[in-house]
Amino acid sequence: MKLRSEFIRKKPEYAPHRSLLRATGVIKSEEDFDKPFIGIANSYTDIVPGHVHLRDFVEIIKDEIRKQGGVPFEFNTIAVDDGIAMGHYGMHYSLPSREIIADAVETMMNAHQLDALILLPNCDKIVPGMIMGALRVNVPTVLISGGPMRAGEYKGKKIDLVTVFEGVGKFKKGEIDLNELREIEARACPSCGSCSGMFTANTMNCLSEVLGIALPRNGTALACTPDREELAREAVRALFRLLKEGITIRDIITYEAIHDAFVADMALGGSTNTVLHLKAIAYEAGVDFPLEEVDKISQRTPNIVKLSPSRPDLHIEDLDRAGGVMAVLKELTRKDPNLLHLDRKTVYGTLREAVERAEVKDREVIRPVENPYSETGGLAILFGSLAPKGAVVKVAGVPENMLVFRGRARVFNSEEDAVKAILGGEIKPGDAVIIRYEGPRGGPGMREMLSPTSAIMGMGLGDKVALITDGRFSGGTRGPAIGHVSPEAAAGGPIALVEEGDEILIDIPNRRLELLVPEEELERRRRNWKPLKKDIPSRWLRRYSMLVTSADMGAILMDDPYEVCKLYGDQKDE
């Protein structure tokens, strides 16, 4: 394929550009001006355990790019650690950071006309943000993540970050003392890498394999191991094959790729955040993928894997040992050979080739399709009078007795108020905790809510209380937690009209989420409704809130705030 950088590298009138390139020290010889320029989007930062090792890890990638006949140009993106940002004002910036990352990748690649791209993310928003930016640029692209961390261990049992969050609830309840909580805190995250369960980061890294832009084992081979280092080198070799054949990222991320990623998501019981991110990736790829289609996939796909938080004794390292994501796909083909689009392009050949090479090595980790955890997927999309445009629940983490639930609404207009009530013992069995004005616009930023869900579990209410929000949940969430309720409260969705004591019906098998209030009463409330006024001191978050859609569209940013108003019935504040 014709290289974008050729005019900079060759034409006499671009001598000043080459002079500047020489000053970087990256150009080692005149011959380098005959080679493709390869961008490396690195998300290294000192404050995120999933990323602290990427400063060293990237050197392996640079070395292999040189060996393959390219010139590596590394640049950086930001990275927000959701665990550290959780439960305070900082979480407002987590989801919006996805847009900054996408913009950064697009800006750096197009400003410098680089020829191909290696994405080096690891954690939650960074993976989809980089993919979104790469789709805008549309050059040959391969993703290689930093890899997951090992699970921790305490008293002979595997533990992880969720153990610590739930430990706070147990401490508040008096089940453990401060010394035990500190011991759990010290042991839960034993190394660098993305947190060890099937949380959002690891889910997205696994789904990157299925999308076809990352090699098999990208989501499961542990960080800082020889296997991960070899995977990085193979990722570079794959990139040069794409470059030679002229295959760009939009040739790989198609409707069929998005479909298959959702299939894998359902089988793995992944994070609810993946619905948000895959919808946004589809948008950038020019693919229309409605939520109704996501639920059709769920109805056809058995949930055959449960890792932490749904099953606390198993972690991502166990999935790797059991054969990885491709082995999960191979098992699914035994049930329905037409469930996946096996002959589509990927960075590793066709999906079929990778699936046929895979082998299920541990039936305790990857269940046979004849004996799934459930006949339907680990995620479900609910619709109804409380969520006309949809809501998402991680069915894999819901106790069986909570699949159908009627509860009394306990209404809170912020996460902080809800957590205070939960830890204060105000929430009782049979309650449906409503947390609203926490959506993309209303938050702003759609904060993750591992704190309230962990508090509910820690207080022993995980099979007695439901939580419903227009916000979202961490991939570490388990229990009856329904998020992404759309339209959100700030857009005038029905969740804004719920009052204390209203009856709520959750019917996951029938995909229903209902506010059991007569329509005439809802209409009366609608006429009297006024959006909750929030003081947003950040200029960036104010801009974000004006342009962002509700979760049903992936919380994407529109180009014009009036477009957002039209989507949700002109409910935008004047």
Side-chain angles (χ1 to χ4, degrees), residues 79 174-175 303 374 520:
E175 290 185 6
N303 176 209
S374 64
E520 55 270 23

Side-chain angles (χ1 to χ4, degrees), residues 442-499:
M446 203 180 186
R447 294 187 289 175
E448 279 190 348
M449 297 187 194
L450 186 53
S451 295
T453 56
S454 297
I456 285 172
M457 298 303 295
M459 296 293 284
L461 296 170
D463 60 350
K464 303 174 184 68
V465 166
L467 199 157
I468 302 166
T469 181
D470 55 6
R472 64 195 179 97
F473 297 111
S474 162
T477 292
R478 61 190 177 108
I482 298 170
H484 304 202
V485 171
S486 298
E488 61 177 290
I495 192 170
L497 309 178
V498 182
E499 294 184 357

Side-chain angles (χ1 to χ4, degrees), residues 359-426:
E359 178 187 354
V360 178
K361 300 175 183 178
D362 189 334
R363 288 294 184 185
E364 180 67 17
V365 179
I366 303 173
R367 283 194 174 186
V369 289
E370 296 84 2
N371 181 36
Y373 288 102
S374 64
E375 293 290 345
T376 56
L379 299 178
I381 310 299
L382 311 184
F383 293 92
S385 59
L386 189 52
K389 290 183 178 289
V392 183
V393 62
K394 187 172 183 174
V395 187
V398 178
E400 190 171 350
N401 71 303
M402 294 293 290
L403 292 174
V404 178
F405 175 80
R406 281 178 182 256
R408 303 174 300 275
R410 298 297 313 280
V411 182
F412 302 94
N413 288 336
S414 73
E415 176 188 3
E416 289 82 0
D417 289 347
V419 171
K420 184 178 178 181
I422 295 164
L423 294 178
E426 297 176 31

